[in-house]
Amino acid sequence: MANEVCFSTIDKKIPWSLQTYREQGGYDVWQRVLKQKTKPDEIIAEVKASNLRGRGGAGFPTGLKWSFMPRSAPGQKFVVCNSDEGEPGTCKDRDILRFNPHAIIEGMAIAGYTLGATLGYNYIRGEFWEPYERFEAALAEARAAGLLGRNILGSGVDFELHSHLGGGAYICGEETALLESIEGKKGQPRFKPPFPASYGLFGRPTTINNTESFASIPYILRNGGPWFAKLGKPNNGGTKLFSVSGHVNKPGNFEVAMGTPFSELLALAGGVRDGHKLKAVIPGGSSTPVMPADVIMDCTMDYDSLAKAGSMLGAGSVIVMDDSTCMVRALARMSHFYYEESCGQCTPCREGTGWLARVIHRIEHGHGKNEDLDLLDDVADKIQGRTICGLGDAAAMPVASFIKHFRAEFQYHIDHKKCMVGGV
Amino acid sequence: MVTIEIDGIELKVNNGSMLIEAADEAGIRIPRFCYHKKLSIAANCRMCLVEVEKAAKPLPACATPVTEGMKVHTRSPKALAAQKSVMEFLLINHPLDCPICDQGGECELQDVAMGYGGDVSKYAEKKRVVREKDIGPLIATDMTRCIHCTRCVRFGDEIAGLRELGATGRGEHMEIGTYISKAVSSEMSGNVIDVCPVGALTSKPFRYSARAWEMRQYESIAPHDCIGSNIYLHTRRGRVMRVVPRENEAVNETWISDRDRYSYEGLYSADRLTVPMMNVDGEWRETEWDTALEAAVSGLKDVVDHSGAPQLGALIGPSTTLEEMYQVQKILRGLGSDNIEHRLRQRDFSDQDAAPAFPWLGTPLAALETANAILLVGSDIRREQPIAGHRVRKAHVAGAAVFAVNPVDYDFNFALEHKLVVDPRRMTSALAAIARHLVTITGATNPAGLDKLVQSPEYDTAARAIAERLRQAGRSTLLLGASAINHQNFAAIRMLSALIAELSGSTLGYLSDGANGSGAWIAGAVPHRGPGAQAVQTSGKNLAQMQGSGMAGMLLVNCEPDLDLAEPQSTMQMLKKAEFVVALSSYKSPALLNSASVLLPITPFSEMPGTFVNAEGRWQSFEPAVAPMGEARPGWKILRVMGNLFDLSGFDYMSAVEIRDELQKLVGDVAKDNSLAWRAPEAGQIDGGTLVSISDIPIYSVDALVRRAPALQKAQKLLGPGFRISAALARKIGLKDSQEVKVKQGDREARIAVEIDDRVPESCVWIHADISDASKLGAGYAPIVLEKA
């Protein structure tokens, strides 16, 4: 049950080409929709039936999100693809862009038709030069084949798609900051409400989905919503791309069914580095709470199981840490990341991320104080739920979870001014 | 209306309003920093987080719209925890050195910290330090104190209309600044000091000179433009320390111009006249009031006795109070002279009999922003009347089309939909073209003589577009600015503007000079009409006629003859030839020392009571904030004594209020009607020459007080030397930027460096009066010759 959706072209000779994509039935749905003028409601119903949940990390049901779009509102509307894959540990969208760009294009085109948008943007992370070029080439192919543009294949339907390369800011992965960035402004999240569905790009109704979500759409419509739903488990439809990184023998992206046991996923990645034992796993990208080995080994990889165990599936970015890992140092690295990537707009995040990073840095370097762990908990708690966007929470959650599960290690750093793991 | 509950109090509030507005209205105080009722919502400080029932997280009251049945707790444990957390975060990197901060004692952060801050900081790391920035002579920065609320940034974007400040950098490295180091140039920049909740932006001239709690606050009216912005004077030990805005939604909202904010420095200029002075055999001597008044009155009496009353005249600065203006004309008319003039920069008086009784804005100030179309006629409104300019900008932001017929392509903080930037000699032609199109559009009878004025078919497209838009707008207005009113063909410009207004259904407004330029008309400070615009038996001499015929005796009130008048040279000649000149002035102006016989020290606005009538006809009275400096006395008292010494009746006033009340009775309900019956204007031409000078009064040179305010003068210096020509003209003469050129006007000449500026028509030279030496050569809007030096 692997590589059935987004990675379905990956074993082909030139996976990214239009020809390869068409050979597996690519753009059939798009052509059918254009020809039959499928009712948007039917498409949305199909997406709802698929149980596809947003692959960017929040897991919001895609079909439901589409139903919020005021499709018949007059004026310009937009669909936007979020390919600003910046979460530490995540690299799945990069490989969709590289190996199956046409699935994204078809998915966005169908979304545009369904949601009444004649214009789409794919916002690609600034560092993704190669994927950007690959995607641009695919766009050129699609345009040349008459699959994009005005009056597509004589259907009277218009849809144009552009890619937009980001400037290297993590925060632009936040959907409203992403919109600001496309508008040419500084990437800063907007306060919600209003949500993008009513006030999005250039103030117009906009639907934003993750790359993997869009790329899944053609397959869902080709094979039917129930087919996709059945690939996974109830309420967690489909397959999912997991980026497994860290202390494994064979790191990489793996497309497996939702609900796959963690142990199987770990095995796909070649297991923990030889000679080491699994210590902890961050299951969904750096902003999701860390899980000790014994907890994660009992989990299946889906939204519900991980939530129940106190963490989140996030974007499916599995960071594996073995017993050589200093948890203080790992947290220090992550906290520094959030400190540098905070946009600076709202107070708790701007001030709090720096505070967290400095204290953890101090502890790591042997200048910790006894009251520091309570202080970190306190500061993390004060950031959470009080910021404009999720970055504040993303910075706070690892801190709380690292201290919760590995408090002794932090205490050791404070007491002995050195690491209990590496002896550094 | 929806019903909500805040802290257990049930409130009916407007649908669509934000929680914080509802709370403010009900007097429930929610702490805030980034929220400002005049600015867009940012929701970035998070200080106003409150608990809303059924919401998972605390919500910012500033950005949460009210909904039916909403229950809000602003001081519940959850709300307070959120507020205190934010306060803690705000303080960790904020310097806790309030005793050495200029904002200390009037700081929003300090105030809120008292209620929501802890007494001990848990933050033990190094605090952030931000490098100092120099953003010009008016605003001091201390960016380490900045809490990143972005009120100043939003002020620039949304109110001033110039994106001069922005937030660069991310996260903790975010800084507010100009990005490329420069001085801010907005004419309203000082308002960022008021919107800044901390000591990051403070007043540069005022900084470190007084504490908030040492000062008293007095209401007053700004004395520089036709708006009459409401202000507070903050005083300490009898001295005005600073000026801040006083909210009046109908006039200046919560803003004031930099000119109104910083001019107070001029109150304490070293050349303040504080003792009466007499010129005895060519030597100036300080003297007693009795002696000086006796000398002044007997000198003027002698003139009347020997040369006759028609040989006596008075020039009154347009920022003089209503009470003083009224008394001056009362004295002059009591002595038998109607030679009273306040239109010091005007040059064309030919249609003064047709002028409105009260030349006014044509609409309430606040209504300007509801116009759908606005045509500026000869106005650099941003600099002439900053607050009126702000209203025009608001109209533009709301969708109004703004047009201009101007001699220079002035840079506005709004886009012009169409513009006719024309040589001043073609202004009448440009206006006539618009009027002609309106005749066609409306099918009205073509007024006799109009076609003759249309000379320039090249204006056709823009003129037609302007005509059409004005006609369609529904609510539209024409505004006559300084370069229209002071134009040599003002009568024609006025006539054509009135015609355009009539045909397009627009109002016609005057942006009058000084703080009382409109009020002067009803105070009787014109030669042809008495108080309340009542007819006089014989019309007196206007400024041009006085200059032309020469005068034996002059009374000067509140004016510097070399700087406040359109034709300084002929004015100075007239004064020098006069037998006797009495000046009531706050300053020992060199030109007065050069030309007067007696100098009587009158107090500036801060030291006396008085009334200004603004351009919309609003009578705004004010009281003194501080005692007169030295022996200076309020003008109304001096004029009262003079009236009595002249043995004139009706000068027994006990207070300025009595004078105002007396005038108010005479004025009654004076018609506010700017319309004008058509009378074919003469297409008067500016004589001869190929080049003509455009002379405008720079923003910080409008009156004696502003000219003496050092910080404003520094800001004005940044504008450059003020002698500008187009690149095309420079090429023709063979000049490069900053190169000197020989300038000739009449029989005078000077060498002056040119600045190349393509906003100037090719056939013109743009001269900033007062700044440029060229303005000393002769009158503006006159032929001028440039030769390669």
Side-chain angles (χ1 to χ4, degrees):
Chain A
M1 292 284 277
N3 296 349
E4 285 181 73
V5 184
C6 296
F7 276 2
S8 59
T9 59
I10 208 153
D11 296 325
K12 303 286 187 305
K13 201 168 164 204
I14 309 174
W16 54 84
S17 73
L18 179 61
Q19 195 189 340
T20 306
Y21 187 61
R22 296 210 81 152
E23 277 165 10
Q24 60 156 242
Y27 289 112
D28 286 357
V29 175
W30 181 223
Q31 281 173 317
R32 191 179 74 217
V33 165
L34 290 174
K35 199 170 166 196
Q36 299 176 351
K37 302 276 154 44
T38 315
K39 287 204 177 98
D41 283 333
E42 286 173 25
I43 296 174
I44 292 177
E46 205 65 41
V47 175
K48 278 184 178 168
S50 75
N51 278 342
L52 172 65
R53 291 172 62 173
R55 297 298 196 229
F60 193 81
T62 304
L64 190 58
K65 188 188 246 184
W66 283 19
S67 67
F68 293 154
M69 183 80 164
R71 304 199 303 266
S72 46
Q76 184 67 56
K77 294 176 283 294
F78 298 98
V79 289
V80 174
C81 176
N82 186 346
S83 300
D84 189 54
E85 186 174 44
E87 179 82 358
T90 317
C91 52
K92 64 183 181 72
D93 297 337
R94 185 189 62 187
D95 281 356
I96 304 176
L97 290 164
R98 286 164 77 201
F99 300 120
N100 198 3
H102 283 288
I104 306 168
I105 295 170
E106 188 181 4
M108 288 190 73
I110 294 166
Y113 167 82
T114 308
L115 303 171
T118 54
L119 201 49
Y121 288 93
N122 185 12
Y123 188 97
I124 300 174
R125 178 175 168 173
E127 292 87 342
F128 282 2
W129 187 253
E130 184 212 342
Y132 167 73
E133 288 191 321
R134 188 69 64 72
F135 187 76
E136 280 286 298
L139 278 179
E141 276 184 314
R143 279 192 201 112
L147 295 163
L148 291 175
R150 288 194 176 278
N151 188 21
I152 302 167
L153 304 174
S155 64
V157 174
D158 301 337
F159 186 74
E160 190 48 273
L161 179 55
H162 303 285
S163 45
H164 181 110
L165 200 63
Y170 170 69
I171 191 60
C172 290
E174 198 281 341
E175 59 181 20
T176 55
L178 183 152
L179 296 180
E180 291 278 299
S181 178
I182 295 181
E183 289 180 12
K185 300 176 189 158
K186 189 178 177 187
Q188 286 187 337
R190 299 174 182 168
F191 180 75
K192 292 179 277 191
F195 290 93
S198 54
Y199 188 92
L201 188 60
F202 300 109
R204 307 296 312 161
T206 302
T207 294
I208 309 170
N209 285 117
N210 170 255
T211 317
E212 189 183 344
S213 306
F214 275 127
S216 302
I217 294 295
Y219 297 92
I220 290 170
L221 295 176
R222 208 182 297 162
N223 303 312
W227 165 82
F228 187 81
K230 264 184 235 146
L231 290 176
K233 61 185 235 187
N235 197 34
N236 296 269
T239 56
K240 168 91 189 82
L241 295 187
F242 290 96
S243 311
V244 185
S245 64
H247 298 148
V248 289
N249 284 313
K250 217 181 86 186
N253 285 316
F254 305 95
E255 182 180 339
V256 295
M258 277 281 196
T260 302
F262 172 74
S263 54
E264 281 180 29
L265 182 62
L266 187 60
L268 276 175
V272 177
R273 266 195 320 179
D274 296 337
H276 289 280
K277 274 191 353 213
L278 182 67
K279 180 174 187 174
V281 171
I282 298 172
S286 64
S287 55
T288 58
V290 67
M291 300 168 82
D294 53 336
V295 181
I296 185 93
M297 286 307 280
D298 290 339
C299 288
T300 57
M301 296 305 284
D302 55 75
Y303 296 104
D304 298 340
S305 165
L306 291 172
K308 210 171 137 196
S311 189
M312 292 187 288
L313 182 71
S317 332
V318 181
I319 303 171
V320 177
M321 294 177 271
D322 68 18
D323 52 9
S324 71
T325 311
C326 168
M327 297 311 274
V328 180
R329 192 157 181 205
L331 181 62
R333 186 64 197 84
M334 278 194 277
S335 292
H336 184 76
F337 173 82
Y338 289 108
Y339 162 58
E340 286 294 343
E341 294 297 340
S342 166
C343 83
Q345 184 182 193
C346 71
T347 308
C349 179
R350 179 184 64 241
E351 306 294 341
T353 51
W355 196 352
L356 292 174
R358 286 190 177 88
V359 174
I360 299 164
H361 179 86
R362 248 195 315 108
I363 297 173
E364 198 219 334
H365 287 81
H367 303 291
K369 292 181 263 189
N370 261 325
E371 60 270 27
D372 280 348
L373 296 184
D374 290 340
L375 177 67
L376 286 174
D377 267 338
D378 181 50
V379 173
D381 183 53
K382 281 173 173 162
I383 297 172
Q384 278 200 61
R386 287 162 186 166
T387 50
I388 290 177
C389 77
L391 195 145
D393 292 352
M397 279 191 291
V399 174
S401 66
F402 269 68
I403 293 176
K404 182 177 157 202
H405 294 299
F406 301 95
R407 192 175 181 101
E409 225 174 287
F410 284 83
Q411 192 64 48
Y412 189 93
H413 258 270
I414 292 168
D415 294 343
H416 299 87
K417 313 209 178 298
K418 61 175 186 177
C419 183
M420 89 198 274
V421 181
V424 183
Chain B
M1 297 291 268
V2 294
T3 308
I4 63 166
E5 194 185 291
I6 304 181
D7 295 344
I9 303 164
E10 199 175 282
L11 302 169
K12 286 229 180 294
V13 296
N14 282 328
N15 217 340
S17 61
M18 296 295 165
L19 267 180
I20 206 165
E21 297 172 271
D24 281 353
E25 196 124 309
I28 299 165
R29 180 74 190 168
I30 300 171
R32 85 285 307 267
F33 296 110
C34 70
Y35 173 78
H36 188 286
K37 63 180 178 183
K38 288 280 179 190
L39 303 175
S40 67
I41 289 164
N44 62 31
C45 79
R46 318 305 284 174
M47 194 62 215
C48 69
L49 288 174
V50 293
E51 181 183 353
V52 178
E53 285 185 16
K54 292 192 194 121
K57 301 171 181 177
L59 298 176
C62 68
T64 305
V66 294
T67 52
E68 181 62 40
M70 193 178 237
K71 284 196 174 150
V72 183
H73 305 280
T74 71
R75 300 194 58 84
S76 64
K78 195 172 164 187
L80 280 174
Q83 293 157 5
K84 285 182 174 177
S85 305
V86 172
M87 192 72 231
E88 185 174 359
F89 284 132
L90 282 171
L91 290 178
I92 63 170
N93 275 309
H94 188 85
L96 300 179
D97 56 358
C98 307
I100 61 155
C101 173
D102 197 47
Q103 191 88 351
E106 51 179 353
C107 171
E108 291 176 48
L109 187 69
Q110 200 180 29
D111 291 348
V112 178
M114 289 301 288
Y116 301 86
D119 45 2
V120 176
S121 176
K122 281 191 265 181
Y123 188 71
E125 323 306 316
K126 270 189 186 154
K127 286 193 177 227
R128 175 176 58 231
V129 175
V130 180
R131 186 185 287 242
E132 210 51 85
K133 295 182 174 70
D134 186 355
I135 58 169
L138 304 180
I139 301 160
T141 66
D142 206 336
M143 299 319 282
T144 300
R145 303 187 189 284
C146 174
I147 59 168
H148 310 93
C149 69
T150 69
R151 278 185 187 174
C152 57
V153 175
R154 284 174 284 146
F155 173 83
D157 272 5
E158 297 159 19
I159 307 297
L162 300 172
R163 291 189 155 196
E164 297 196 286
L165 292 173
T168 53
R170 269 196 331 225
E172 225 188 72
H173 314 299
M174 174 162 134
E175 289 182 17
I176 302 294
T178 50
Y179 190 53
I180 295 164
S181 177
K182 76 178 216 38
V184 296
S185 65
S186 163
E187 66 283 4
M188 296 170 65
S189 68
N191 291 297
V192 297
I193 296 165
D194 302 328
V195 299
C196 180
V198 294
L201 301 172
T202 54
S203 163
K204 213 171 233 184
F206 166 74
R207 198 179 202 204
Y208 299 141
S209 62
R211 281 303 195 179
W213 60 85
E214 298 173 322
M215 295 186 286
R216 285 160 176 266
Q217 171 167 292
Y218 295 90
E219 295 184 357
S220 192
I221 301 296
H224 304 294
D225 58 33
C226 73
I227 305 303
S229 285
N230 291 198
I231 53 173
Y232 284 119
L233 303 180
H234 285 176
T235 72
R236 187 185 62 175
R237 295 199 283 275
R239 187 182 164 105
V240 177
M241 303 303 294
R242 67 172 173 188
V243 173
V244 295
R246 175 159 57 94
E247 190 174 342
N248 186 337
E249 203 50 36
V251 181
N252 49 303
E253 303 171 64
T254 54
W255 317 118
I256 54 173
S257 64
D258 288 355
R259 189 163 63 194
D260 292 345
R261 183 183 300 269
Y262 294 107
S263 69
Y264 74 90
E265 282 195 291
L267 295 171
Y268 303 102
S269 160
D271 67 347
R272 263 292 294 272
L273 178 65
T274 54
V275 185
M277 295 177 79
M278 283 167 60
N279 189 331
V280 183
D281 303 329
E283 206 179 298
W284 281 101
R285 284 187 200 157
E286 296 187 347
T287 178
E288 303 288 318
W289 265 113
D290 288 353
T291 321
L293 282 166
E294 193 65 47
V297 168
S298 68
L300 293 174
K301 254 187 191 160
D302 282 353
V303 168
V304 176
D305 292 347
H306 296 131
S307 310
Q311 274 298 305
L312 178 64
L315 298 180
I316 312 170
S319 291
T320 306
T321 63
L322 204 61
E323 291 81 351
E324 292 164 300
M325 285 180 168
Y326 172 65
Q327 280 178 297
V328 171
Q329 67 83 34
K330 193 170 175 181
I331 289 174
L332 266 271
R333 293 199 158 104
L335 294 171
S337 167
D338 283 292
N339 308 329
I340 303 144
E341 189 59 272
H342 80 279
R343 298 167 291 181
L344 304 187
R345 293 195 172 108
Q346 195 169 317
R347 323 206 23 232
D348 178 4
F349 301 92
S350 61
D351 68 339
Q352 66 176 12
D353 291 325
F358 177 65
W360 72 301
L361 197 57
T363 165
L365 194 52
L368 265 189
E369 65 189 64
T370 63
N372 298 319
I374 297 171
L375 172 58
L376 300 173
V377 181
S379 177
D380 182 7
I381 195 166
R382 261 184 72 190
R383 291 163 191 86
E384 288 165 25
Q385 310 286 352
I387 297 293
H390 166 60
R391 296 276 190 183
V392 171
R393 180 180 141 72
K394 280 176 93 176
H396 176 260
V397 169
V402 188
F403 317 105
V405 178
N406 267 341
V408 169
D409 193 2
Y410 296 115
D411 55 324
F412 293 116
N413 47 5
F414 43 80
L416 293 174
E417 192 154 307
H418 291 285
K419 58 189 169 191
L420 293 168
V421 177
V422 293
D423 179 317
R425 288 168 288 199
R426 310 183 80 119
M427 265 187 75
T428 47
S429 167
L431 290 168
I434 298 172
R436 189 62 190 77
H437 280 297
L438 278 163
V439 169
T440 311
I441 293 166
T442 57
T445 331
N446 194 8
L450 176 61
D451 284 343
K452 204 174 62 183
L453 298 170
V454 187
Q455 297 168 338
S456 311
E458 70 264 31
Y459 302 144
D460 223 45
T461 323
R464 184 169 57 227
I466 294 171
E468 280 167 359
R469 291 299 303 270
L470 281 177
R471 173 72 186 167
Q472 291 158 1
R475 241 197 309 247
S476 54
T477 191
L478 269 74
L479 295 175
L480 292 172
S483 37
I485 296 170
N486 301 332
H487 195 281
Q488 275 198 333
N489 299 332
F490 172 46
I493 290 173
R494 182 196 335 241
M495 191 68 251
L496 289 164
S497 300
L499 179 63
I500 292 170
E502 192 193 318
L503 292 174
S504 64
S506 310
T507 59
L508 172 65
Y510 293 81
L511 297 166
S512 48
D513 205 7
N516 218 8
S518 288
W521 285 81
I522 46 175
V526 281
H528 59 299
R529 287 179 194 155
Q534 284 148 12
V536 292
Q537 265 178 338
T538 49
S539 186
K541 289 176 185 161
N542 58 43
L543 177 62
Q545 288 163 334
M546 287 192 241
Q547 283 165 336
S549 69
M551 304 298 289
M554 289 297 290
L555 178 60
L556 305 178
V557 183
N558 246 332
C559 70
E560 292 187 278
D562 57 337
L563 296 169
D564 284 329
L565 285 101
E567 307 208 23
Q569 295 73 20
S570 50
T571 309
M572 289 306 288
Q573 274 169 14
M574 169 183 77
L575 293 177
K576 278 184 183 160
K577 279 189 199 148
E579 291 158 32
F580 199 75
V581 177
V582 176
L584 274 66
S585 171
S586 298
Y587 300 99
K588 273 182 274 187
S589 156
L592 291 177
L593 291 172
N594 240 325
S595 57
S597 322
V598 180
L599 286 179
L600 303 177
I602 55 169
T603 51
F605 80 110
S606 54
E607 300 169 14
M608 66 167 176
T611 304
F612 295 136
V613 181
N614 77 358
E616 55 175 350
R618 187 182 295 269
W619 291 49
Q620 299 194 107
S621 297
F622 52 89
E623 289 295 311
V626 291
M629 186 186 261
E631 294 295 310
R633 291 294 173 263
W636 76 268
K637 287 191 179 176
I638 297 165
L639 292 162
R640 177 191 65 183
V641 177
M642 287 175 75
N644 285 325
L645 288 175
F646 278 122
D647 284 327
L648 299 169
S649 62
F651 277 90
D652 297 322
Y653 306 109
M654 296 301 288
S655 70
V657 176
E658 281 181 27
I659 307 172
R660 186 192 66 201
D661 291 349
E662 181 178 309
L663 174 60
Q664 206 149 28
K665 267 186 215 126
L666 293 171
V667 171
D669 284 328
V670 71
K672 293 210 288 192
D673 179 6
N674 286 344
S675 67
L676 208 54
W678 174 258
R679 200 168 57 174
E682 287 179 33
Q685 273 298 342
I686 298 172
D687 309 323
T690 48
L691 280 182
V692 69
S693 69
I694 299 161
S695 168
D696 60 8
I697 315 298
I699 181 167
Y700 302 135
S701 293
V702 293
D703 57 43
L705 180 56
V706 171
R707 287 190 289 261
R708 286 170 174 78
L712 291 177
Q713 292 313 309
K714 269 189 219 163
Q716 185 147 290
K717 275 225 174 78
L718 300 173
L719 297 176
F723 188 87
R724 299 164 192 249
I725 59 174
S726 66
L729 178 59
R731 256 196 314 276
K732 215 183 262 174
I733 309 173
L735 286 174
K736 289 201 182 85
D737 197 38
S738 310
Q739 203 177 335
E740 274 199 351
V741 64
K742 201 192 285 177
V743 187
K744 289 187 190 165
Q745 195 175 358
D747 51 2
R748 297 188 187 84
E749 67 175 62
R751 293 164 83 91
I752 291 161
V754 299
E755 227 177 312
I756 293 177
D757 186 335
D758 269 337
R759 293 177 295 161
V760 191
E762 192 182 329
S763 53
C764 300
V765 179
W766 182 18
I767 299 168
H768 290 334
D770 186 25
I771 296 182
S772 172
D773 287 340
S775 64
K776 297 186 179 73
L777 293 177
Y781 302 101
I784 193 164
V785 177
L786 301 192
E787 281 170 14
K788 201 164 178 187

